[in-house]
């Protein structure tokens, strides 16, 4: 029987990616990578599936990315960082 107070366990990979999303967002690295790619907060928010205010709050440290949006943010920022390395 499923207890309503329990949440679904997060697998280790998702946990690691969530931690990376939080590091990227709150360290300023995510904003720097986004800006270097010449993308707006609104464009990243649309790609991640959240409101632009949410991404802005992540990037100022006011909030932390969680759940699927955190995974999508980490994947997007990671891909932008890799793309910048290739172009350098």
């Amino acid at each position: 029987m499923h207890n309503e107070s329990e949440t679904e366990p997060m697998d280790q990979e998702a946990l690691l990616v969530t931690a990376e999303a939080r590091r990227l967002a709150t360290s300023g690295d995510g904003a720097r990578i986004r800006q270097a790619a010449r993308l707006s907060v609104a464009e990243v928010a649309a790609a991640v599936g959240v409101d632009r205010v949410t991404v802005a709050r992540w990037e100022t440290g006011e909030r932390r990315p969680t759940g699927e949006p955190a995974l999508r943010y980490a994947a997007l920022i990671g891909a932008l960082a890799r793309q910048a390395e290739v172009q350098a």
Side-chain angles (χ1 to χ4, degrees), residues 45-75:
V48 172
V50 297
D51 189 87
R52 67 175 182 76
V53 173
T54 300
V55 173
R57 287 178 176 159
W58 292 346
E59 291 184 352
T60 61
E62 187 178 334
R63 296 272 193 257
R64 297 179 316 153
T66 60
E68 287 297 319
L71 302 178
R72 291 190 295 267
Y73 180 80

Side-chain angles (χ1 to χ4, degrees), residues 22-55:
R22 290 176 181 171
R23 185 199 66 77
L24 286 165
T26 60
S27 69
D29 290 345
R32 281 190 288 281
I33 293 165
R34 174 184 56 74
Q35 292 164 350
R38 299 176 191 234
L39 293 176
S40 69
V41 169
E43 289 169 320
V44 168
V48 172
V50 297
D51 189 87
R52 67 175 182 76
V53 173
T54 300
V55 173

Side-chain angles (χ1 to χ4, degrees), residues 12-25:
Q12 186 175 2
E13 182 64 25
L15 186 60
L16 292 171
V17 174
T18 298
E20 177 63 3
R22 290 176 181 171
R23 185 199 66 77
L24 286 165

